[in-house]
Amino acid sequence: MNVSLLVPFAHGERGMTDLLGGKGANLAEMTRLGLPVPPGFTLTTEACRRYLKDGHRPPGLDDQVRKALTDLERSTGRAFGEGDRPLLVSVRSGAKFSMPGMMETVLDVGLTDALVERMVLRQDPRFVWDCYRRLVEMYGRTVLGVPSTSIDAVRAGVLAEQGVSATAELDVAGLRSLVAAHRRALVATTGLDLPQDPWEQLTSSIDAVFSSWNSIRAQVYRRHEGISGDLGTAVTVMQMVYGNSGPHSGSGVCFSRNPATGDPEPYGDYLPEAQGEDVVSGSQATLSLAHMAGREPGAHHELLSHISTLEKHYRDLCDVEFTVQDGTLYVLQTRVGKRSPAAAFVIAADMAEEGLVSEDEALVRVGGRQLELLLHDTFEVPGGARPLMTGLPASPGAGVGSIVFDPHTAVARRAAGDDVVLVRTETSAEDLDGILASVAVVTARGGLASHAAVVARGFGRTCVTGVAGLVVDELAGQAVTAAGDVLRTGDVVSVDGTTGTVYAGSLAVRPGPVAGGLMTVEDASDPEGPGNGADQRVLAAVRRILQHADQRATVKVRTNAETADEAAAARAAGATGIGLCRTEHMLLGSRRALVENVILGIGAQDALARMEQLAVQEFTGLLRVMDGLPVVVRLLDPPLHEFLPDPEGLAVAVALLEGAGKPVSDVLRTRLDATRRWRESNPMLGLRGVRLLTVHPELVDVHVRALVTAAHQLDAAGGNPRPEIMVPLVSDVAELVSARSRIVEVAVATVLALGSDLPTPPVGVMIELPRAALCADDLATVAEFFSFGTNDLTQTTWGMSRDDAETGFLSTYLSDGILPKDPFTTLDPRGVGELIRIAVERGRRTRPDLELGACGEQAGDPDSIAFFVDCGLDYVSCSPPRVPVARLEVGRAAVLAEGTSLSDTR
Ligand code: PEP
Ligand code: MG
C-alpha cells in the first residue's frame, strides 16, 4: 500500500494522528472547522520513517513539496523566494504524542539577503530585520547544530555593544549588526552560512526536523514516557503570520479553562509585538486575556469564540497558540491541554455535570497517580532550595523536622513538642515507636518493599529509603551524605516522600487539597470540607468521580491494617474490609522482645501469654471497626533478622563485661548462643512464615485463640465479626495441611471452651512463592481463599532481594533503561503476572468459588491495578492512604476493560 508522504491541511482530519502527528492532525481538523488557520501542509511520519531509514528524503517527496508550495502560493497570493511580500513558512515538528520542547522548529524560512533588501522598501524595516534575525538564529541552532549557549552569547555581545538589554530594543542598525554577528559565528563554528536559496533553506529545515526525532534528548524523553522510537515525527509547513509586525500584532496561548485550577473561564497569556517562541520562552512578561481584550477587542472576542468551539468539538480542555497580525487573529495550533492533577479532577467532574462527557469518560480521564498527588502534602520548592540527598520515594508526603538518629530520642523529642525526622541506616522492628513519633523517616538502605517503607506507608508517614551514599553513624549522632554534607542531631531538613528528595532547612508545605477530606466518603454532600474554597471544589470533584468508580468497579478494595486507627481511616476512605493484617506488625517497638523470647526460648510461656492478650485487644479493635466486613489475619511472619538481636552487638556486650571482670548473666549467654544459632545468611529466604509456624506451632495457637476469642466477644455484644485466617509463605500443600489442622484444632477447641455459636474462621493461603503459584491446584484443595503476596512473589520470581535490589544493581538497571519499571513498585505482568494467572486458573479449577485477593505493595499501585482486575481477582488490599487511589483505579479498569464508546480520552 502507498502511504502518503504529504497531506495538505485541507485534506486531513483529527483521527490521522498516526500519519500527521498531533499537530498536523489538529491543524487539519481546525481547517475543516473553518477556524482561521494559515494554509499549509504536513509531511507525514511515513516520510520521516523513510528518511531516517534511508538517510535521505524519499523519492518523490520533493516534487510533492514543490507542488504543495505552488498551491500555497496560489492561496496566499505570495511567491516563495520572490517579491517584496514573499511567502515565508514555518517548519515545525509534530509527533503523534506530544513531546514538548524535544524537537525542532524553524520560523521565517525563505528569507534571503536579496529578499530582505526588497521587503524593506515596502514594509517596516525593523520588522523585516527582526524576522531575518530569528531565521538566522533558529537555522543556526536547528539545522547547523550550533549550541544555544553560543547563539545566546553572540546575541548578548551585540546587545551589550548596542547598550540595550533585549532584542526588542534594538533598532534597524542594531538588528543588522546582530544578523551579521550571528552569520560570522555560524561560518566560524560550522564553516556554513545561512543558504541564500529559499528551497535549500526549506529542505534542510525539513531534514533537520526529521533528524531531531533521534536527538539524545528526544530519545531520553521517549524512554521516560514509554513512547515507541519507531513512530517518527511529522513536519508541518505553514504560511508565516507575524505577531511581530506592529503595535496591533502579537502572539499568545489560550486554554479553554484554567489548566492549573480547572476554573471554567478561559485562561491565557498574550504578548504584543512578539512571535510565539517569545511567549513560551517566558523571557518577557505577558499580558492576561483581559488586557488583550483592551488592546485587540475584535481578535479577543474571536479567540474566545474559537476556543469554545474547540472545547465543544474535542469535548475536553483545549489549548491554542495564536497570532494576531495587524488586528487579524490566526490560530496556529491546538491540542487537548495539559493540566494539573487538581484541574484534571475539576474539569472532568464539571464536564460530566455539563453533559459534555459521560461519567465513564470523566472517570477514565483522571488517574490514581494524579489522585496520589492531591492526597499528600507537597513542598513549595523555591529556586534556592538545596537538595541534600535523594533516595527512593517510599511513602509520599512532605515532612519538616529536626534530625534524630535513634527511635528513643524521636519519642522523647516528640513528647516535648518537636517535629523530628528519624534518620537510620535501616529500620528494624524495634523502631516502630520512633517511626510513629517522627514526621518523616529517611534510611540509607532498604527498597520500596522494605520494612521502613511498608510500615511508613501503612501509617501514612513520609518516608525516603535507600539513599545512596548516605552513611549514618547512629552512635556518634551524625550522618554524611554522598555529597559530603555532615548532618547532626537537631539539623532541620525537609523530606519529600513523593520525589525522594531531602532538602536542607525548612521548606513551606503546601497541603494536599484533598488530604484528609476523603476520610468522610459517606458524607459526599457535606459542604464543610477541609481547606479553602478551591480545595473544596477539588474534593467535591474527586468524590463525585470516586462514587462513579465504585458503581463501575468489579473488584473490591480492602486495606492492609494492624491498628483500629488505621482500619478506621481506611474504612472511612472506602475500604471494604481488611485484606491483610500482618500480626508481626502488632509486635513492633517494645513488644518485639516477645517474639525474641519465644524464638530463643527465654521466658517463652510468659511471652506467649502476653502476646495472646495483646492480640485479643488488637483484633477486637480491628473487628469492631470493620464490623460486618471481612478481616483477614495473617499468622505470624516475622523476618528473623528484624526481630532478633544482632549477635555481634551481644558478643560485644559480653566481651565488655568480661574485659571489665564483671559477671555475665546466664540469660545474656543463652541469648548470645541462641541468636548465633538462629542467625541466617539469607533471612528473607529462611525461617519465615509457615516454616516458623511449623517449627514453633505455639505461635499458631496464640493468634488463632486470640482471633476466635475477640470475634466471640464482639458477637456476644451484638456485633457481626467476620474473621479469616491466612497462612504465609507456603510452598507445598503439606505445609498448609499441617498448619491448617493445627489452626482448626485450636479454633474448634476455643469455640467449645467459649461456648460460642460462631463458625471457625475460613483458612486461606498466601501465594508468595513461585512453587505455590504452580501448585495452586493442590493448595486450593485445602485453602478457602488465596491472597497474592506480590512483594515476596516478586522477590522470589526475580531472585532479587526486596531489601537490597533497589539500592544496588536495580537502580542501575532502571537508570540505564534495561528495565522500564521497578517490579517491586509496578507488577511485572510478564513473569510475576504469569504466575498469578496460572495460580488463578489452577486454583479455581480445583475450587470454582475460591476467593482471590492481592495484598503486596503492587496491589495499591495505580499502574498495576488494571492487571489484577483483568486476572479476575475479587479484591485488592493496600495501605489506608492508598484506598481512594485503588478505588479510582478499579473503577477505571472496569470501564476501560469494557471498551465501550469512550471517545478520545487522551
Ligand atoms: C507480600 O509478600 O507481598 C506480603 C504482603 O507480605 P509481606 O510484605 O509482609 O512479606
Ligand atoms: Mg510476604
Side-chain angles (χ1 to χ4, degrees):
M1 194 188 69
N2 248 351
V3 182
S4 308
L5 301 177
L6 184 151
V7 178
F9 292 167
H11 294 177
E13 46 100 11
R14 107 195 230 207
M16 294 170 69
T17 51
D18 280 349
L19 199 58
L20 304 182
K23 184 177 289 158
N26 289 330
L27 282 166
E29 189 75 7
M30 289 197 292
T31 304
R32 263 175 12 101
L33 290 173
L35 266 58
V37 176
F41 52 89
T42 301
L43 281 71
T44 65
T45 52
E46 172 67 11
C48 175
R49 286 189 291 268
R50 288 175 56 180
Y51 173 87
L52 293 175
K53 181 162 151 282
D54 302 338
H56 55 78
R57 292 188 300 283
L61 182 63
D62 284 4
D63 288 346
Q64 293 190 38
V65 173
R66 281 189 201 280
K67 156 108 182 31
L69 263 184
T70 309
D71 292 345
L72 209 52
E73 289 178 329
R74 199 172 305 123
S75 63
T76 58
R78 294 170 182 235
F80 189 61
E82 281 174 39
D84 45 24
R85 286 184 183 279
L87 169 68
L88 303 185
V89 293
S90 63
V91 179
R92 296 173 197 259
S93 62
K96 175 172 183 184
F97 301 107
S98 159
M99 297 172 54
M102 288 302 121
M103 292 180 296
E104 305 294 357
T105 292
V106 192
L107 302 182
D108 301 305
V109 172
L111 200 47
T112 60
D113 291 348
L115 285 171
V116 166
E117 295 312 333
R118 291 194 62 181
M119 285 171 75
V120 292
L121 301 177
R122 291 284 300 275
Q123 296 183 63
D124 174 10
R126 215 198 149 278
F127 157 69
V128 176
W129 278 100
D130 188 45
C131 290
Y132 207 32
R133 184 270 301 180
R134 288 168 192 271
L135 171 63
V136 172
E137 288 183 359
M138 286 197 222
Y139 193 92
R141 191 173 56 234
T142 302
V143 184
L144 302 181
V146 180
S148 300
T149 43
S150 313
I151 291 173
D152 293 346
V154 170
R155 192 187 315 108
V158 173
L159 292 180
E161 222 173 75
Q162 300 282 324
V164 298
S165 57
T167 44
E169 295 163 31
L170 288 175
D171 59 12
V172 173
L175 285 166
R176 288 186 85 126
S177 319
L178 181 52
V179 168
H182 276 316
R183 290 177 65 181
R184 275 196 305 277
L186 290 190
V187 173
T189 41
T190 68
L192 296 169
D193 192 1
L194 176 75
Q196 292 301 306
D197 173 4
W199 174 255
E200 189 185 338
Q201 282 181 15
L202 176 60
T203 48
S204 54
S205 298
I206 291 171
D207 291 352
V209 177
F210 280 155
S211 302
S212 70
W213 175 255
N214 278 337
S215 69
I216 300 292
R217 66 189 160 140
Q219 291 188 41
V220 170
Y221 183 89
R222 284 199 296 272
R223 202 158 54 218
H224 185 260
E225 296 293 305
I227 299 173
S228 160
D230 301 335
L231 299 175
T233 180
V235 179
T236 59
V237 177
M238 184 196 261
Q239 181 203 357
M240 280 297 302
V241 286
Y242 305 98
N244 56 341
S245 81
H248 287 291
S249 300
S251 291
V253 292
C254 177
F255 290 79
S256 58
R257 302 184 188 219
N258 188 310
T261 63
D263 283 349
E265 274 70 51
Y267 173 90
D269 290 320
Y270 179 66
L271 197 56
E273 296 191 63
Q275 284 193 340
E277 41 158 0
D278 306 326
V279 183
V280 283
S281 74
S283 58
Q284 296 175 47
T286 53
L287 303 181
S288 67
L289 286 184
H291 280 97
M292 179 194 170
R295 284 181 72 111
E296 305 297 337
H300 174 262
H301 179 77
E302 241 191 282
L303 176 66
L304 295 198
S305 149
H306 292 323
I307 194 85
S308 156
T309 305
L310 286 170
E311 184 178 284
K312 289 201 184 78
H313 185 68
Y314 283 85
R315 302 184 313 111
D316 205 342
L317 171 73
C318 290
D319 67 36
V320 294
E321 287 181 16
F322 64 91
T323 283
V324 180
Q325 178 177 305
D326 302 322
T328 305
L329 177 77
Y330 294 93
V331 182
L332 306 185
Q333 174 179 319
T334 189
R335 59 186 175 180
V336 167
K338 300 233 183 296
R339 63 209 81 180
S340 72
F345 278 89
V346 171
I347 291 172
D350 282 357
M351 287 190 171
E353 178 67 27
E354 292 159 24
L356 203 56
V357 299
S358 68
E359 299 286 345
D360 276 359
E361 284 172 300
L363 172 57
V364 299
R365 280 186 184 179
V366 291
R369 290 255 171 261
Q370 290 168 317
L371 182 53
E372 264 178 350
L373 293 172
L374 299 177
L375 282 164
H376 302 286
D377 295 349
T378 50
F379 285 123
E380 317 264 4
V381 184
R386 195 164 75 85
L388 283 171
M389 50 187 158
T390 307
L392 301 168
S395 179
V400 181
S402 45
I403 291 180
V404 294
F405 291 100
D406 73 276
H408 307 295
T409 314
V411 172
R413 295 279 302 278
R414 178 70 218 135
D418 293 344
D419 285 338
V420 294
V421 171
L422 180 63
V423 177
R424 303 282 277 164
T425 302
E426 63 201 329
T427 62
S428 77
E430 231 159 350
D431 295 352
L432 178 72
D433 299 340
I435 293 174
L436 290 177
S438 306
V439 293
V441 179
V442 177
T443 66
R445 298 209 197 115
L448 292 171
S450 67
H451 179 261
V454 172
V455 172
R457 222 172 287 144
F459 288 104
R461 290 289 181 285
T462 297
C463 181
V464 173
T465 58
V467 178
L470 177 67
V471 179
V472 184
D473 186 341
E474 274 106 359
L475 289 179
Q478 72 167 41
V480 184
T481 68
D485 284 298
V486 180
L487 307 174
R488 298 198 169 78
T489 302
D491 287 353
V492 174
V493 289
S494 298
V495 183
D496 189 332
T498 311
T499 62
T501 307
V502 181
Y503 297 91
S506 165
L507 300 186
V509 174
R510 191 190 308 130
V514 302
L518 285 184
M519 301 297 144
T520 51
V521 276
E522 290 86 1
D523 198 6
S525 61
D526 174 15
E528 299 295 317
N532 57 29
D535 287 353
Q536 285 180 19
R537 279 224 330 280
V538 181
L539 182 57
V542 172
R543 281 178 170 162
R544 177 188 177 120
I545 291 174
L546 278 179
Q547 261 175 13
H548 185 66
D550 291 345
Q551 278 166 21
R552 300 294 268 117
T554 53
V555 169
K556 291 206 171 349
V557 176
R558 294 190 193 174
T559 193
N560 298 351
E562 291 82 35
T563 67
D565 286 350
E566 285 177 291
R571 185 160 191 179
T576 58
I578 291 181
L580 173 66
C581 163
R582 291 173 162 108
T583 42
E584 68 279 4
H585 282 195
M586 296 176 165
L587 296 163
L588 300 176
S590 54
R591 298 175 180 177
R592 183 202 58 82
L594 299 176
V595 180
E596 180 185 329
N597 289 353
V598 174
I599 291 169
L600 301 187
I602 303 168
Q605 285 315 315
D606 289 351
L608 286 166
R610 176 75 184 132
M611 228 186 241
E612 187 171 329
Q613 202 183 20
L614 290 169
V616 173
Q617 216 173 294
E618 304 286 6
F619 292 151
T620 303
L622 294 180
L623 290 166
R624 183 180 290 130
V625 169
M626 288 289 171
D627 194 52
L629 296 174
V631 171
V632 176
V633 168
R634 177 180 77 186
L635 297 180
L636 207 65
D637 182 12
L640 288 193
H641 60 306
E642 288 180 15
F643 278 80
L644 295 186
D646 174 15
E648 268 141 40
L650 290 178
V652 169
V654 169
L656 285 175
L657 287 170
E658 285 175 345
K662 295 196 177 147
V664 177
S665 70
D666 286 350
V667 173
L668 184 53
R669 282 201 193 284
T670 315
R671 284 180 79 207
L672 175 58
D673 291 347
T675 311
R676 280 187 172 142
R677 213 169 42 247
W678 288 107
R679 187 183 187 146
E680 296 174 306
S681 301
N682 293 302
M684 290 307 268
L685 296 178
L687 186 65
R688 290 183 48 203
V690 73
R691 303 167 191 171
L692 180 70
L693 301 173
T694 309
V695 175
H696 281 287
E698 65 276 19
L699 286 171
V700 174
D701 307 355
V702 169
H703 287 112
V704 174
R705 255 196 319 263
L707 186 62
V708 173
T709 305
H712 167 70
Q713 287 171 359
L714 283 174
D715 178 60
N720 179 16
R722 289 181 52 196
E724 302 184 12
I725 293 176
M726 183 156 77
V727 185
L729 217 76
V730 168
S731 39
D732 188 81
V733 68
E735 291 171 302
L736 184 60
V737 167
S738 156
R740 185 175 185 278
S741 72
R742 182 99 183 189
I743 292 166
V744 172
E745 194 182 308
V746 176
V748 168
T750 313
V751 163
L752 290 176
L754 293 168
S756 172
D757 309 329
L758 285 177
T760 57
V763 178
V765 67
M766 288 191 78
I767 306 289
E768 323 184 70
L769 297 172
R771 194 174 189 285
L774 296 171
C775 302
D777 40 359
D778 292 347
L779 293 173
T781 58
V782 182
E784 287 165 83
F785 61 91
F786 284 179
S787 181
F788 291 97
T790 46
N791 301 329
D792 278 314
L793 192 56
T794 301
Q795 163 170 264
T796 49
T797 301
W798 284 81
M800 284 181 185
S801 160
R802 60 194 268 188
D803 281 351
D804 303 325
E806 285 142 322
T807 48
F809 63 92
L810 187 52
S811 62
T812 311
Y813 275 36
L814 294 169
S815 58
D816 289 359
I818 294 171
L819 286 184
K821 287 188 171 163
D822 177 348
F824 288 102
T825 304
T826 299
L827 191 101
D828 144 44
R830 183 71 190 84
V832 178
E834 193 61 19
L835 285 168
I836 293 176
R837 287 192 195 278
I838 288 171
V840 168
E841 194 269 314
R842 294 187 185 172
R844 283 207 170 129
R845 205 192 305 149
T846 301
R847 191 189 283 260
D849 62 349
L850 185 71
E851 185 172 57
L852 301 168
C855 62
E857 293 307 299
Q858 297 90 336
D861 169 56
D863 296 337
S864 309
I865 288 175
F867 175 83
F868 294 116
V869 173
D870 186 54
C871 285
L873 301 199
D874 298 293
Y875 64 87
V876 290
S877 188
C878 57
S879 59
R882 292 178 113 181
V883 166
V885 173
R887 281 171 60 203
L888 186 76
E889 288 294 346
V890 292
R892 291 183 77 225
V895 171
L896 290 169
E898 256 179 34
T900 45
S901 60
L902 293 174
S903 59
D904 189 4
T905 54
R906 280 161 297 164

